[in-house]
Amino acid sequence: MGHTRAAVLVVVLAVAVLGLATDGQAQLQNGFYTGKCRGNDVEAVVQGIVKARFASNSDIVAHLLRLLFHECGVNGCDGGLLVDGTGTEKTARPNLSVKGYELITAIKTELEKRCPGVVSCSDIEVLATRDAVAASTGRRYAVRTGRRDSRRSVATDVNLPGPDDTVPKAAAFFRNLGLTSDDMVVLLGAHTVGVTHCSMIKRSRLYSYGGKAGATDPSMDPNTAATYKRYPCPDTASSDNTILYLDDRSSASKVDNSFYKMLQQRRGVLMVDQNLYNDSSTRWMVDRLANTDHFTWLFPQALVKLGEVKVLTGTQGEVRRVCSKFN
């Protein structure tokens, strides 16, 4: 590929990821909390708490990335996922394994001491995720703040992509959020620090592919499939909860592009991931992210865009005093 064409592709990717701001997004600002927290630097407070947690448990990166996606993928980034109670978003099946709530609570508690009723829970989610990613990559990026928290949290609103989704089905979900298929490929790169369980692939990929007993997904590298069958995921119920890393074990705690190299080798764990390479419409993007360093700057841009989906601003919603319940 010539330098000119490569440069054009980079520009096209950047424009696709950044997109256009909605009215709500337009009201978000860099440094929204400057001068609003009794002399405290809100972003510095969040960063300090997140860095301390990362130092003791790097899994917090994966937890917060998943929390943010499950948050913003349902009614936008409005704090709805954080609410406790019967029938809330938190109780929906896809959210039962979401983690990281206690860190959001710790940050909120500290900020309430410094400036009560000022910093929204939805902003804390976005800031904390940014700082966790920055702790892993060493690269900090700017995020805009000024979100407000919603007064709605309903389990039946939760309709998130599944582990076996095709590219068209997953892309339709992202499109409904105002995100492109390129955004989708970049954001699924969060699986570079993700994990799943054998139960998520045993029937669909290892033992009953296409609903046929004993069939294995032909898009999975045969050696990888054989290894899974022999060791972590034998066809017994006792292996259902065995953890599988979605990236090479040696890179599983790093936010990097090795996840895409796994897909090139047909070693993607989840079908929705491997489909990104199987489908010709997204394969080129996987190749670009695997073969260049573009993931290092496209991933933060995509996270910024995800964090600005359907936000509440101005006088909309509320600023919760406690993230787990409405005021």
Side-chain angles (χ1 to χ4, degrees), residues 121-271:
C121 300
S122 45
D123 270 344
I124 290 172
E125 290 175 294
V126 171
L127 290 169
T129 303
R130 183 270 303 274
D131 291 333
V133 171
S136 173
T137 63
R139 301 180 185 88
R140 201 162 188 257
Y141 56 94
V143 295
R144 300 193 296 173
T145 45
R147 294 164 190 78
R148 306 263 293 179
D149 302 320
S150 73
R151 297 188 179 97
R152 178 181 176 88
S153 180
V154 180
T156 53
D157 288 347
V158 178
N159 182 24
L160 294 162
D164 302 326
D165 279 0
T166 62
V167 165
K169 185 175 181 180
F173 170 85
F174 280 86
R175 190 163 53 247
N176 287 336
L177 300 181
L179 303 174
T180 67
S181 60
D182 290 347
D183 295 328
M184 171 184 70
V185 179
V186 175
L187 287 169
L188 284 176
H191 286 172
T192 184
V193 289
V195 299
T196 189
H197 296 91
C198 286
S199 60
M200 301 303 289
I201 67 167
K202 284 167 64 174
R203 290 183 60 189
S204 61
R205 304 203 71 193
L206 298 180
Y207 300 108
S208 303
Y209 175 75
K212 183 179 179 180
T216 300
D217 184 354
S219 73
M220 180 180 281
D221 167 62
N223 290 332
T224 299
T227 299
Y228 282 148
K229 289 180 177 182
R230 183 173 181 181
Y231 296 109
C233 306
D235 194 13
T236 60
S238 60
S239 71
D240 282 357
N241 291 324
T242 301
I243 290 176
L244 298 175
Y245 291 91
L246 301 183
D247 197 351
D248 268 328
R249 185 67 187 93
S250 61
S251 181
S253 62
K254 301 175 185 175
V255 177
D256 58 22
N257 71 339
S258 62
F259 165 77
Y260 299 102
K261 296 176 182 178
M262 293 266 291
L263 302 186
Q264 288 179 317
Q265 298 161 11
R266 298 167 58 198
R267 294 170 56 215
V269 179
L270 297 176
M271 189 179 292

Side-chain angles (χ1 to χ4, degrees), residues 4 42 55 85 105 112 178 189 221 268 324:
T4 301
V42 168
T105 297
E112 284 296 298
D221 167 62
S324 59

Side-chain angles (χ1 to χ4, degrees), residues 274-309:
Q274 189 58 52
N275 282 342
L276 297 177
Y277 197 68
N278 296 344
D279 193 299
S280 60
S281 70
T282 47
R283 180 181 299 163
W284 76 274
M285 186 65 167
V286 172
D287 284 336
R288 177 141 297 276
L289 294 169
N291 300 335
T292 70
D293 64 352
H294 294 174
F295 181 70
T296 60
W297 52 271
L298 283 173
F299 188 54
Q301 287 185 0
L303 286 176
V304 167
K305 192 172 178 183
L306 173 66
E308 297 189 357
V309 168

